Amino acid sequence: MKPNLFDLTGRLALVTGSSQGIGLALARGLADAGARVVLNGRDEAKLAKAAATLAEAGITAEIAAFDVTEASGAEAAVAALEDRLGPLEILVNNAGMTRRFPATELPESVWREIMAVNLDGVFFMAQAAGKRMVARGHGKIINIASVQSDLGRPGTAAYSASKGAVRTLTRTLCAEWAKHGVQVNSLAPGYFATELTKALVDDPAFTAWLCQRTPAGRWGRVEELVGAAVFLAAPASDFVNGTMVYVDGGMTAVV
């Protein structure tokens, strides 16, 4: 009998930045496909609340509170998870942030904060998980990029630069690890309605611009990211390496 190409039964998956929004939706989707999921964030109380939300849907999730921007913390957290739960087979690097400033006014502290979360954290987590996956000869790493890996917008210099770097980092890790059976890819969301984008969702002018700019004509819903994430985490993508999958309603396809 042929294996189910999208079956994640029993596979251990860690989703960073998953106490809410896109990360929580991806964790739920991986669990629905059979994975054992671990939620991560810096706030243990928020993680416990997120795990309780999943429990109401019949999903048991572990929580791991740690800061992905600290290399030693990332290493220690992955080591502890594997000691307790077994081999980490799926890593979703979702933790991210943005703060909007004109480039001429962007404080150095904000630049460094965004880079630490959006880029340093992705690398530190990929390094900690990836070296173990390479040693075992299999694993899946999904880095959450953005349409702003390719596109710029006023006020997002640090965010766009960090997400562009995530795209190139994904390709470099592919170049090193694909031969070891580890698939590293990125997922690029467009504009999705989440807690973090509420101010933009509630702005009629911005929403009107977005609906005109996006061929699908609307904001994305977080559950619409799940299919692509499950694909990149599953056996279906075993020969997919170093690519970026856009889930953006067609935004990057048109001018």
Side-chain angles (χ1 to χ4, degrees):
M1 180 180 296
K2 292 183 179 179
N4 185 333
L5 291 177
F6 299 94
D7 183 14
L8 302 179
T9 299
R11 300 189 182 204
L12 183 63
L14 169 62
V15 184
T16 68
S18 51
S19 60
Q20 63 181 6
I22 287 173
L24 183 57
L26 295 182
R28 182 193 295 264
L30 295 177
D32 285 340
R36 297 178 294 140
V37 297
V38 181
L39 306 180
N40 158 262
R42 288 182 284 195
D43 187 329
E44 192 159 2
K46 287 182 69 175
L47 288 174
K49 183 177 179 181
T53 299
L54 294 183
E56 292 173 0
I59 296 169
T60 300
E62 301 281 343
I63 64 173
F66 63 92
D67 187 346
V68 299
T69 68
E70 298 175 358
S72 59
E75 167 62 26
V78 172
L81 282 176
E82 292 211 342
D83 285 344
R84 184 162 58 96
L85 301 172
L88 180 62
E89 298 182 79
I90 301 162
L91 169 64
V92 181
N93 271 318
N94 172 74
M97 65 167 295
T98 189
R99 292 174 63 189
R100 293 174 176 82
F101 284 89
T104 54
E105 300 169 20
L106 177 63
E108 178 186 353
S109 60
V110 173
W111 171 274
R112 294 191 182 281
E113 182 184 19
I114 291 173
M115 288 296 173
V117 176
N118 293 4
L119 181 57
D120 296 354
V122 170
F123 176 70
F124 295 150
M125 288 303 302
Q127 184 181 53
K131 68 182 183 182
R132 292 168 167 85
M133 293 175 177
V134 165
R136 289 189 289 262
H138 62 89
K140 303 278 187 175
I141 297 177
I142 305 167
N143 297 324
I144 303 303
S146 169
V147 292
Q148 286 180 232
S149 295
D150 289 328
L151 306 175
R153 272 190 60 77
T156 66
Y159 180 81
S160 295
S162 70
K163 291 300 184 177
V166 166
R167 179 180 190 177
T168 305
L169 175 61
T170 298
R171 290 171 165 172
T172 302
L173 296 181
C174 158
E176 293 191 18
W177 296 347
K179 64 186 176 184
H180 298 292
V182 179
Q183 289 81 54
V184 185
N185 293 288
S186 56
L187 180 61
Y191 283 82
F192 281 74
T194 70
E195 296 90 341
L196 296 181
T197 58
K198 187 176 186 304
L200 294 177
V201 174
D202 292 342
D203 181 340
F206 185 87
T207 293
W209 169 83
L210 176 69
C211 292
Q212 184 177 29
R213 176 66 179 82
T214 305
R218 61 175 175 82
W219 285 87
R221 298 183 287 270
V222 290
E223 59 270 19
E224 292 174 314
L225 287 163
V226 168
V230 170
F231 165 68
L232 292 176
S237 62
D238 280 352
F239 201 57
V240 178
N241 296 274
T243 194
M244 187 155 75
V245 177
Y246 296 92
V247 185
D248 64 357
M251 174 174 275
T252 53
V254 301
V255 295

